[in-house]
Amino acid sequence: MKLQILIGLLSVCITFSTVVAYPQLQIQSDPVPFFPHLKKFSHKNFEITNRLTTSVTPSHYKIRITPIIEPENEEVHLSAPGRVIITVKCNSVTKSITLHSYDIEVDEDALSVKHAIAGTIIPVKGLDKNPDQQTITIQLDMDLTSDEEYLVEIHFVARVADDRLNGLYLSKYIDPTTSNINYHAATQFEAIDARKAFPCFDEPALKATFQITIGRSLAFHSLSNMNIDEDGVEDGLPPRFGYVWDIYHTTTHRMSTYLVALVVSDFTFVTSDSKTNVKVWGPEQLLEQDSGKFAADTSAKMLTFFDSYFGLSYDFPKMDQVAVSDFHYG
């Protein structure tokens, strides 16, 4: 019964929030199927017939991404340039690294692999793409050494999709006061759609920690799994875009790629009276109707109840619930 209640709570938090409530209770499983006789599964009109090799597995991601959603930026509208640096462990000698990437342009000239401690460069021979399996394979000129860690750096451009409601996608609402269309970007990665936003080892069992930096227009703000440590940082972004960085220095708990979340929007928020770390975000005119306040207060009461019921404290610094206008599960 407790497990059923926990699964229900986690489903609510995953759907409406940017965090998981009780990561202490996550099952730490090996990256093998629960049912080894099942060799393939179907998802969104394609078949995946192979799991990733476990010769290289991730432990940490450092992600930098800039969703560009303003229509006036015509040349780059609905693109999301980014960079990911993945700390991986070599579990068996190999000359290749395979990970997921779908609907993403990867800068092959900027690919790099180096030893995490010594800094030794591992020459990259080439990049193989397998659209059917939604994977890319980095071919190397020398072996990776077993039990050593390496840094894999990939520069890419993803899409802010306006034709699907998964991965990183565009949503919008109409301001009733001005009749203007206001845009925002959101993510829906469960179960295997993080690969549409950044190259990654996109299998739920391949857990890691994440450190995220989001580029955004001065007209917007961002949200992610952790609290912002620095906002409005101007370094490294083209001045003509008028963009700044929001830096989330604090790493997440160890978790699956599908739990990574980000939102770029002009939303405002209301806070629960009993827990200041519980907020509900949405268009201002909706929150003025007190519906957001009710949701925030109810969520805080749920957290208090489950803290007591399971004897475990909510383990993230905050919980943001976002009223995304277009949402596949709502």
Side-chain angles (χ1 to χ4, degrees):
M1 176 62 73
K2 287 188 177 183
L3 180 59
Q4 292 174 330
I5 294 174
L6 175 61
I7 291 172
L9 173 64
L10 292 182
S11 298
V12 171
C13 290
I14 290 168
T15 303
F16 297 105
S17 172
T18 63
V19 297
V20 183
Y22 295 95
Q24 307 100 313
L25 297 183
Q26 287 182 336
I27 298 173
Q28 304 299 322
S29 59
D30 292 327
V32 295
F34 289 111
F35 306 101
H37 61 284
L38 297 179
K39 298 188 182 298
K40 65 182 181 178
F41 63 93
S42 180
H43 178 71
K44 294 181 174 61
N45 300 321
F46 65 84
E47 288 186 338
I48 297 175
T49 56
N50 294 311
R51 300 290 295 270
L52 292 179
T53 173
T54 57
S55 59
V56 174
T57 50
S59 62
H60 180 69
Y61 292 79
K62 190 172 184 180
I63 303 167
R64 185 178 69 184
I65 189 168
T66 306
I68 301 172
I69 58 177
E70 300 84 359
E72 56 267 25
N73 287 323
E74 293 183 11
E75 295 179 4
V76 290
H77 182 225
L78 299 185
S79 67
R83 181 198 69 190
V84 60
I85 301 174
I86 312 173
T87 303
V88 300
K89 180 183 178 183
C90 178
N91 301 307
S92 59
V93 175
T94 182
K95 277 190 175 179
S96 65
I97 301 171
T98 299
L99 63 162
H100 293 106
S101 178
Y102 181 70
D103 206 13
I104 290 177
E105 295 180 15
V106 173
D107 186 348
E108 297 185 35
D109 294 331
L111 281 173
S112 73
V113 179
K114 65 181 180 181
H115 192 278
I117 298 175
T120 308
I121 301 297
I122 310 299
V124 175
K125 185 165 62 175
L127 181 72
D128 296 336
K129 301 176 182 178
N130 188 335
D132 291 336
Q133 295 301 313
Q134 303 187 352
T135 60
I136 56 175
T137 299
I138 303 170
Q139 302 291 353
L140 305 172
D141 265 338
M142 57 187 294
D143 286 332
L144 300 182
T145 304
S146 183
D147 292 327
E148 297 288 335
E149 286 193 325
Y150 297 87
L151 300 178
V152 180
E153 181 169 342
I154 305 172
H155 293 249
F156 63 90
V157 179
R159 279 204 308 134
V160 184
D162 60 354
D163 56 357
R164 52 174 162 80
L165 297 179
N166 52 50
L168 174 62
Y169 69 93
L170 185 72
S171 185
K172 63 183 181 294
Y173 70 93
I174 298 175
D175 187 322
T177 304
T178 64
S179 297
N180 291 335
I181 298 176
N182 293 350
Y183 294 96
H184 48 282
T187 55
Q188 171 55 45
F189 290 161
E190 190 177 8
I192 53 171
D193 289 319
R195 66 190 68 183
K196 297 177 181 178
F198 59 95
C200 57
F201 295 80
D202 197 19
E203 293 182 2
L206 297 177
K207 296 177 174 65
T209 56
F210 297 82
Q211 184 181 14
I212 299 171
T213 297
I214 300 172
R216 46 91 181 171
S217 164
L218 288 169
F220 296 116
H221 59 77
S222 72
L223 293 169
S224 190
N225 298 75
M226 307 302 285
N227 285 321
I228 295 177
D229 295 295
E230 294 183 68
D231 63 342
V233 179
E234 297 181 0
D235 292 346
L237 281 166
R240 69 185 181 92
F241 288 153
Y243 270 49
V244 294
W245 294 115
D246 289 340
I247 303 174
Y248 300 78
H249 285 299
T250 306
T251 60
T252 68
H253 297 290
R254 186 170 175 264
M255 63 188 195
S256 304
T257 47
Y258 73 80
L259 295 178
V260 174
L262 66 91
V263 175
V264 174
S265 73
D266 63 353
F267 292 162
T268 58
F269 68 87
V270 294
T271 304
S272 163
D273 286 335
S274 59
K275 288 183 178 288
T276 57
N277 63 341
V278 176
K279 296 177 181 178
V280 170
W281 298 76
E284 184 175 5
Q285 65 272 16
L286 292 181
L287 298 187
E288 287 175 349
Q289 301 172 14
D290 289 335
S291 56
K293 188 69 167 57
F294 174 80
D297 287 340
T298 301
S299 299
K301 292 176 182 177
M302 289 174 63
L303 286 183
T304 299
F305 170 80
F306 283 109
D307 283 352
S308 173
Y309 186 82
F310 290 110
L312 295 171
S313 297
Y314 181 78
D315 208 26
F316 274 75
K318 52 96 174 184
M319 183 172 73
D320 292 316
Q321 299 178 84
V322 185
V324 176
S325 305
D326 302 293
F327 193 65
H328 180 71
Y329 295 103

